[in-house]
């Protein structure tokens, strides 16, 4: 269908195709590796609790999950937030120097970083945080809920400003592209889909409302998070709050 061929997505999929004849001769890009865990110079750290149940029903969560854009004012507990973070990106296994996480990742390269715009979570001040996977803690980046700014950057989707917390996922492209080159973007986007879905199911299991969001102005969100949009760029969001 010629009309489809106009889209960048179509061109990208065509140009990153593998085929059995040429796969061994494919050009390998010279991309330098980068650190697996993102660090900030000496941030204030909020350690996350691990004293929550891990026995919720998967079937109930699959059946019950619906995108929910209406939230109550009541706060999320820090246990609930910790469970959502664990379900999305928590370390669940180890083999030698490799740490495996709750969501799968192409080549175990884990290119996705999680930022949180926290509005209403018990015992955690409103602000922008980064989830430090290795230490299972939050690094505080700035104070004050930036929900209004996030909502504006997400094409004015105002429900984001009413959420208890907005998950903002970015991709450190180099972490994946160092191995997968031209084909890497496919996997980065799959990775973030797995992470988001884990989080959405965990939210449902906790009887929280959540909604994935991919409509946003890239440059505006990157600016809010102080990301350059080249090495690291926002790829997906999700709001979470107490169900109405
Ligand atoms: C990739 C993706 C992007 C989405 N972006 C938005 C968005 O920007 N705003 C929004 O309100 N919902 C968004 N959604 C939620 C969809 O509208 C929703 O999943 C769909 O209507 C099906 O409903 P359900 O999630 O309740 O099953 C998105 C969902 C996906 C998977």
């Amino acid at each position: 269908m010629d009309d489809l061929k106009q889209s960048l997505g179509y061109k990208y999929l065509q140009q990153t195709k593998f085929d059995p004849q040429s796969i061994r001769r494919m050009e390998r890009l010279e991309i330098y590796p980068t650190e697996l865990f993102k660090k900030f110079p000496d941030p204030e750290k909020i350690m996350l609790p691990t004293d929550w149940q891990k026995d919720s029903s998967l079937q109930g969560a699959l059946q019950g999950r619906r995108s929910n854009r209406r939230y109550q004012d009541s706060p999320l507990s820090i246990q609930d937030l910790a469970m959502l973070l664990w379900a999305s990106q928590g370390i669940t296994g180890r083999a030698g120097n490799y740490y495996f996480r709750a969501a799968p990742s192409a080549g175990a390269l884990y290119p996705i970083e999680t930022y949180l715009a926290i509005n209403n979570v018990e015992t955690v001040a409103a602000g922008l945080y980064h989830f430090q996977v290795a230490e299972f803690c939050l690094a505080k980046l700035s104070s004050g809920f930036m929900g209004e700014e996030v909502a504006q950057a997400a094409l004015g989707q105002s429900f984001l400003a009413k959420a208890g917390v907005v998950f903002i996922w970015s991709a450190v492209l180099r972490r994946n592209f160092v191995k997968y080159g031209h084909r890497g973007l496919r996997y980065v986007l799959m990775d973030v889909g797995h992470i988001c879905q884990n989080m959405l199911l965990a939210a449902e299991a906790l009887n929280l409302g959540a909604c994935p969001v991919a409509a946003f102005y890239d440059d505006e969100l990157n600016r809010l998070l102080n990301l350059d949009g080249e090495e690291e760029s926002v790829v997906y969001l999700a709001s979470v709050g107490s169900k109405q």
Side-chain angles (χ1 to χ4, degrees):
M1 296 281 251
D2 281 352
D3 53 349
L4 258 191
K5 290 183 186 167
Q6 304 168 71
S7 80
L8 285 175
Y10 179 89
K11 290 175 193 161
Y12 175 77
L13 287 176
Q14 295 307 310
Q15 290 184 23
T16 57
K17 272 182 179 171
F18 278 164
D19 87 81
Q21 270 69 47
S22 60
I23 192 166
R24 288 183 193 289
R25 284 179 278 112
M26 274 182 80
E27 173 198 13
R28 200 159 158 94
L29 301 181
E30 285 288 323
I31 293 177
Y32 296 105
T34 187
E35 60 186 10
L36 178 60
F37 293 109
K38 185 155 177 168
K39 297 188 183 80
F40 296 88
D42 203 23
E44 181 188 337
K45 288 183 182 168
I46 291 99
M47 297 313 293
L48 292 162
T50 51
D51 57 341
W52 26 267
Q53 301 285 324
K54 293 182 186 169
D55 60 357
S56 55
S57 150
L58 177 61
Q59 198 181 333
L62 285 165
Q63 175 63 47
R65 187 210 60 81
R66 206 69 307 135
S67 292
N68 186 314
R69 302 170 182 84
R70 293 161 66 88
Y71 310 114
Q72 277 184 43
D73 286 340
S74 51
L76 269 68
S77 68
I78 191 170
Q79 277 77 15
D80 283 358
L81 180 65
M83 159 76 170
L84 297 178
L85 288 164
W86 174 80
S88 62
Q89 292 247 70
I91 290 176
T92 51
R94 184 177 176 178
N97 287 332
Y98 275 111
Y99 291 90
F100 296 106
R101 306 192 192 175
S105 172
L109 295 170
Y110 305 107
I112 305 299
E113 296 289 332
T114 305
Y115 296 83
L116 301 174
I118 289 186
N119 174 24
N120 201 2
V121 176
E122 269 170 7
T123 72
V124 185
L128 179 69
Y129 294 82
H130 176 266
F131 175 40
Q132 301 268 289
V133 174
E135 289 179 77
F136 202 59
C137 73
L138 300 179
K140 188 170 189 182
L141 305 183
S142 63
S143 295
F145 181 47
M146 45 166 58
E148 293 292 344
E149 291 96 318
V150 172
Q152 281 317 307
L155 281 61
Q157 300 190 71
S158 54
F159 64 90
L160 291 169
K162 305 264 185 250
V165 55
V166 181
F167 283 65
I168 306 173
W169 289 292
S170 70
V172 177
L173 297 172
R174 181 176 297 278
R175 251 183 235 152
N176 174 289
F177 286 14
V178 67
K179 179 167 183 191
Y180 293 115
H182 291 308
R183 203 172 161 88
L185 187 60
R186 292 173 181 251
Y187 303 155
V188 168
L189 299 178
M190 289 175 197
D191 276 19
V192 78
H194 291 302
I195 288 168
C196 182
Q197 181 70 358
N198 275 16
M199 195 285 285
L200 296 175
L201 290 173
E204 180 57 31
L206 295 168
N207 198 31
L208 297 169
C211 182
V213 168
F216 53 82
Y217 300 121
D218 304 62
D219 290 347
E220 273 189 38
L221 262 187
N222 285 331
R223 243 191 321 274
L224 280 178
L225 268 58
N226 208 17
L227 306 180
D228 65 6
E230 293 182 357
E231 287 284 330
E232 183 176 355
S233 194
V234 174
V235 285
Y236 209 10
L237 317 176
S239 52
V240 185
S242 303
K243 279 185 185 170
Q244 269 196 358

